[in-house]
Amino acid sequence: MMFRWLGAFLLLGLSPLLPLNASERQVGDVYELRLSYKTSSMNSEGQQTGSSSGHQTMIERVIAFTPEGIELEIDLPTDKARAGEWKFPARIFKPINGPLRLLNEPELEERLEAWLKKADWTREVCGQWIFTWNAFLIDCDPYSAISIFEAHSLESSKYFEGAEFMVEGASGSAILETATSEAGEAVLTARLPIDPGFICRQQAESDVVVGQITGEKVTLADATNLRCQADLAGTITETYFPATEGSHPRRVRVSHLTTTDADGNQTIQKRTETLQRKLIR
């Protein structure tokens, strides 16, 4: 079953955690954006019933600054990684205000056509799921490059004490507060309750995908009705670690989800995501 969920400071706490200037990037900078995850699940008896882990790395290059915002190139780290993915490199414009914009859509469309032709596919397969060594969505939307970048984007300017914090899958918002990590680091953290409706609908979408892969017809309405009968409770905790001498900025997002079915059986799931942003040249 696929389970999607996503400067230096004085350690004495006398210095506040302040947002970095949005112009911290410089033209020509190249950043490595590494997103890693670990998941685990247990039953009511405390027995582990599954686990997984993995990571994905993106490369961000700063192309230009304009009065309206910044132009970035988002890419995969190697030619081998890029060979099976038509969306990258992608040129993205990040405005001072407003949503991200895709700048090289025609180029991506050309690559998409070549990718489909090489696989002997037509546009009719777009949006379908297939299974090779893992579940694979045939994605034909150039703008999905933006959502992939957003999942790997770590903007330090939004992490400061007192900031209102929201995250997909959580209910409402929380205020980022200064805290101290187990290693004695000054961090910012916020904890939010999960949104049961969002989670059960997401699980239902995964059930539909599994049905497509296995050949079993599963409607979204039926899957949603079944999933939303369970009692869902949990939290999402976000912790931001600012850059210090010798370390790079990162955020750690830990999701806990307890699912209780009609018979009282529980499944406890945990997902830990770590996103690190590192200047590599």
Side-chain angles (χ1 to χ4, degrees), residues 104-154:
N104 63 333
E105 181 182 0
E107 179 185 344
L108 268 63
E109 287 284 0
E110 289 183 8
R111 282 195 242 130
L112 170 60
E113 290 296 336
W115 182 74
L116 290 170
K117 184 176 181 180
K118 184 176 181 180
D120 198 24
W121 287 335
T122 68
R123 293 261 181 171
E124 293 180 355
V125 304
C126 296
Q128 296 183 20
W129 286 82
I130 61 174
F131 188 84
T132 52
W133 60 277
N134 65 354
F136 176 72
L137 172 65
I138 304 176
D139 183 6
C140 301
D141 181 10
Y143 285 87
S144 62
I146 290 179
S147 61
I148 295 173
F149 170 61
E150 287 178 323
H152 291 77
S153 179
L154 182 59

Side-chain angles (χ1 to χ4, degrees), residues 79-250:
D79 291 339
K80 182 178 180 180
R82 198 182 302 111
E85 178 55 80
W86 58 270
K87 301 183 192 71
F88 302 101
R91 289 288 183 98
I92 292 175
F93 186 75
K94 181 178 177 60
I96 296 173
N97 294 300
L100 300 175
R101 302 202 302 265
L102 184 65
L103 299 179
N104 63 333
E105 181 182 0
E107 179 185 344
L108 268 63
E109 287 284 0
E110 289 183 8
R111 282 195 242 130
L112 170 60
E113 290 296 336
W115 182 74
L116 290 170
K117 184 176 181 180
K118 184 176 181 180
D120 198 24
W121 287 335
T122 68
R123 293 261 181 171
E124 293 180 355
V125 304
C126 296
Q128 296 183 20
W129 286 82
I130 61 174
F131 188 84
T132 52
W133 60 277
N134 65 354
F136 176 72
L137 172 65
I138 304 176
D139 183 6
C140 301
D141 181 10
Y143 285 87
S144 62
I146 290 179
S147 61
I148 295 173
F149 170 61
E150 287 178 323
H152 291 77
S153 179
L154 182 59
E155 297 297 335
S156 58
S157 59
K158 74 176 184 178
Y159 291 97
F160 58 94
E161 187 174 20
E164 184 178 19
F165 182 78
M166 293 182 288
V167 63
E168 187 178 58
S171 177
S173 62
I175 300 300
L176 283 166
E177 299 178 344
T178 302
T180 304
S181 71
E182 293 180 358
E185 301 166 288
V187 299
L188 288 160
T189 189
R191 176 175 294 184
L192 305 91
I194 63 116
D195 179 352
F198 177 91
I199 299 303
C200 74
R201 289 191 299 270
Q202 197 175 60
Q203 292 175 337
E205 290 174 0
S206 292
D207 291 341
V208 173
V209 170
V210 172
Q212 291 178 5
I213 294 171
T214 60
E216 179 182 355
K217 185 176 180 180
V218 180
T219 68
L220 182 59
D222 289 343
T224 301
N225 180 60
L226 180 61
R227 285 289 189 174
C228 291
Q229 290 179 14
D231 180 39
L232 301 174
T235 59
I236 300 176
T237 302
E238 181 98 352
T239 303
Y240 176 69
F241 296 76
T244 60
E245 186 175 354
S247 71
H248 303 282
R250 70 185 189 279

Side-chain angles (χ1 to χ4, degrees), residues 1-6 39 199 203 206 257 269 271:
M1 178 63 63
M2 287 167 288
F3 183 73
R4 296 181 303 164
W5 266 72
L6 47 12
T39 70
I199 299 303
Q203 292 175 337
S206 292
L257 175 66
Q269 296 169 302
R271 180 182 178 91

